[in-house]
Amino acid sequence: MTTNGNLIVKNLELISKLKPKIKSITISLDAATEETYKAIRGGNFNIVLSGIQELVKMGILVNTEFVLQY
C-alpha cells in the first residue's frame, strides 16, 4: 500500500482492523522539513510523522520514498 500519509491518523481505527491484511505501507514524503512539505504538498508534515509513529507502534512495516527535484 502506498500513500502520501495525510489521512493515516484520521483512519487509525480502520487501519487497525485491516492490519492482518497489510504487509507494509509506503509513504511518499517528498520533503525533509515541515516548511518544504508545506510548500510542495500543502499539507501538515507533523500529521504525517505522527501517522508514521502510530503505524510503527502497531507493528506495521513502514517504508518511505520521495521524489528528488533539482
Side-chain angles (χ1 to χ4, degrees), residues 6-66:
N6 283 297
L7 297 177
I8 291 172
V9 172
K10 184 177 179 179
N11 291 298
L12 285 173
E13 186 175 327
L14 175 61
I15 293 169
S16 180
K17 289 178 184 177
L18 295 173
K19 183 184 169 200
K21 298 183 184 296
I22 298 172
K23 184 173 182 178
S24 67
I25 295 179
T26 300
I27 300 171
S28 180
L29 294 175
D30 295 334
T33 66
E34 183 177 359
E35 295 80 23
T36 305
Y37 190 84
K38 186 173 184 176
I40 292 172
R41 291 270 186 179
N44 187 322
F45 192 60
N46 292 319
I47 289 174
V48 176
L49 294 179
S50 294
I52 291 170
Q53 291 171 338
E54 292 301 320
L55 293 174
V56 170
K57 285 179 190 176
M58 284 186 202
I60 295 174
L61 177 64
V62 176
N63 303 298
T64 58
E65 64 184 20
F66 62 94

